[in-house]
């Protein structure tokens, strides 16, 4: 047989094989998109049972921290488990990027939006436009004016409880007499709510005296906080600072690093929010980080997605929803025989990360269908 003929047959064989493999791959992808045919979708809302692709955009203003990563992961995992396409974006504290992302997503074919930490009038205007175009919106820890927009649900961590849990513990531990550093940044709705509690606690407890404060929201918040706290420590020798109240765990991380470097672990940290990085630092030998009040950020993302799914299904949803707060102590973490992280935190904090809020039976069916 001639070489040319052999070469031509080889090409035909390879081409046929490629078509077969491509066909198998396409069939597998189609089967995956269609889901498990053994699961009945009879009681699932028509929008989801019909096989129509649902596209969700999650846009968060703040970022650069593990709390943000956990929130986005919770929303994405919950949505994808129900068969949705979920795209996420964080602006890392950049207001212009945040609003650009919303404007761009509005021009794309998304069915629903989760907006996190929108804190200005421009956010209100953008959400109004989203709703006017027939899209559904759930907003987390965002400006209260969004409540004036029909159909929008505003969710939040119970910031009053978070601040109360941490501050009450600080006041109790120091018998109402302490000189503290306050780490806080203005301009964000949850920070405004936390600050209101802080001011109230100070007025009720005149023995709690603020001697310094610092706060900035940026991509490098922890680094800037570390530098600021280090400078404060230089101004105040041992005995002049008893504790630090950090209204965001990104602040607490920076503060803990500064205290460790300066050998000032006698100063105790009380904070709000939690992440894997936080838990690791709290469990370190000699760590000054003794308490943090928090809501599971991954659960927050998941529940926001459930509320959005109910909106897309045409079901009734509340105007507001607050997540229950928990107080996590260094002492409780150290009772564990293994390192505690976000996955096993529930073993030392009862009720942590567990909620069936807004999880309808049809959602469980969708998850089973798409697993």
């Amino acid at each position: 047989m001639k070489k040319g003929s052999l070469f031509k047959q080889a090409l035909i064989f390879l081409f046929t094989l490629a078509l077969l493999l491509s066909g198998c791959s396409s069939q597998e992808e189609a089967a995956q998109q269609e889901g498990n045919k053994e699961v009945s979708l009879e009681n699932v809302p028509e929008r989801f049972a019909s096989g129509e692709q649902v596209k969700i955009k999650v846009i968060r203003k703040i970022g650069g921290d593990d709390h943000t990563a956990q929130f986005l992961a919770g929303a994405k995992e919950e949505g994808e488990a129900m068969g949705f396409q979920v795209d996420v974006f964080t602006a890392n504290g950049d207001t212009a990027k945040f609003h650009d992302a919303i404007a761009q997503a509005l021009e794309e074919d998304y069915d629903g939006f989760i907006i996190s930490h929108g804190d200005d009038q421009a956010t209100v205007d953008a959400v109004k436009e989203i709703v006017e175009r027939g899209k559904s919106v759930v907003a987390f820890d965002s400006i209260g004016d969004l409540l004036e927009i029909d159909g929008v649900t505003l969710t939040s961590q119970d910031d009053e409880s978070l601040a109360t849990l941490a501050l009450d513990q600080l006041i109790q531990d120091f018998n109402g007499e302490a000189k503290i550093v306050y780490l806080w940044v203005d301009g964000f709705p949850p920070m405004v709510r936390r600050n209101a509690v802080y001011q109230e606690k100070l007025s009720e407890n005149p023995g709690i005296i603020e001697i310094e404060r610092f706060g900035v929201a940026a991509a490098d918040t922890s680094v800037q906080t570390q530098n600021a706290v280090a400078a404060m420590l230089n101004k105040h020798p041992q005995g002049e600072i008893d504790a630090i109240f950090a209204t965001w765990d990104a602040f607490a991380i920076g503060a803990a690093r500064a205290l460790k470097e300066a050998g000032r672990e006698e100063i105790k940290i009380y904070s709000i929010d939690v992440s894997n990085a936080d838990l690791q630092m709290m469990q370190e030998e000699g760590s000054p980080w003794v308490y943090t009040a928090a809501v599971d950020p991954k659960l927050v993302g998941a529940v926001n997605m459930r509320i959005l799914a109910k909106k897309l299904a045409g079901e009734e949803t509340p105007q507001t929803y607050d997540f229950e707060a928990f107080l996590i102590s260094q002492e409780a973490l150290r009772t564990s025989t293994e390192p505690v992280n976000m996955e096993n935190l529930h073993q030392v904090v009862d009720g942590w990360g567990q909620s069936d809020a807004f999880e309808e039976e049809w959602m469980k069916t969708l998850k089973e269908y798409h697993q």
Side-chain angles (χ1 to χ4, degrees), residues 69-285:
Q70 291 276 333
F71 169 83
L72 295 177
K76 189 173 179 65
E77 288 177 18
E78 187 74 2
E80 290 181 345
M82 290 187 279
F84 305 163
Q85 176 186 322
V86 182
D87 300 321
V88 302
F89 175 83
T90 173
N92 288 326
D94 189 312
T95 300
K97 288 183 178 178
F98 173 69
H99 288 298
D100 285 347
I102 295 176
Q104 182 178 338
L106 190 56
E107 300 306 320
E108 297 171 355
D109 194 25
Y110 288 103
D111 302 290
F113 292 78
I114 295 175
I115 305 294
S116 176
H117 291 82
D119 60 347
D120 54 15
Q121 183 58 42
T123 301
V124 178
D125 296 339
V127 172
K128 280 181 181 176
E129 187 172 355
I130 292 172
V131 171
E132 285 170 1
R133 296 199 189 186
K135 315 293 184 180
S136 298
V137 180
V138 177
F140 171 63
D141 268 0
S142 296
I143 186 169
D145 290 352
L146 292 174
L147 293 174
E148 298 173 8
I149 304 173
D150 232 14
V152 173
T153 294
L154 189 59
T155 68
S156 64
Q157 302 181 98
D158 190 340
D159 292 293
E160 288 79 7
S161 291
L162 288 167
T164 299
L165 285 170
L167 284 167
D168 280 354
Q169 188 65 52
L170 187 160
I171 293 165
Q172 177 183 317
D173 289 351
F174 288 93
N175 296 315
E177 302 284 339
K179 290 169 285 188
I180 70 172
V181 171
Y182 182 40
L183 301 179
W184 171 78
V185 62
D186 199 359
F188 296 92
M191 290 295 179
V192 172
R193 293 190 290 267
R194 294 170 191 183
N195 184 62
V197 174
Y198 174 74
Q199 298 300 335
E200 181 181 343
K201 293 294 179 182
L202 255 61
S203 66
E204 294 172 351
N205 298 273
I208 304 298
I209 301 169
E210 177 191 311
I211 60 171
E212 295 273 5
R213 69 164 59 192
F214 173 79
V216 62
D220 62 345
T221 292
S222 295
V223 174
Q224 291 195 45
T225 304
Q226 180 178 349
N227 294 337
V229 172
M232 292 176 194
L233 295 176
N234 289 332
K235 293 164 55 180
H236 300 280
Q238 190 166 349
E240 290 191 7
I241 301 174
D242 297 306
I244 293 173
F245 175 47
T247 54
W248 181 16
D249 62 337
F251 292 147
I253 289 173
R257 289 171 181 164
L259 294 179
K260 183 176 181 180
E261 285 190 3
R264 297 288 298 276
E265 287 90 344
E266 83 279 0
I267 300 171
K268 303 307 177 187
I269 297 174
Y270 298 75
S271 70
I272 293 176
D273 293 334
V274 72
S275 69
N276 282 318
D278 304 346
L279 292 171
Q280 182 180 343
M281 294 182 78
M282 289 181 72
Q283 293 170 85
E284 290 175 357
E285 188 67 32

Side-chain angles (χ1 to χ4, degrees), residues 303-325:
V303 172
N304 273 268
M305 183 60 70
R306 293 174 196 166
I307 296 173
L308 185 60
K310 284 176 66 66
K311 289 182 182 296
L312 294 173
E315 296 183 354
E316 185 176 346
T317 55
Q319 191 176 29
T320 63
Y321 180 74
D322 289 337
F323 293 89
E324 181 184 1

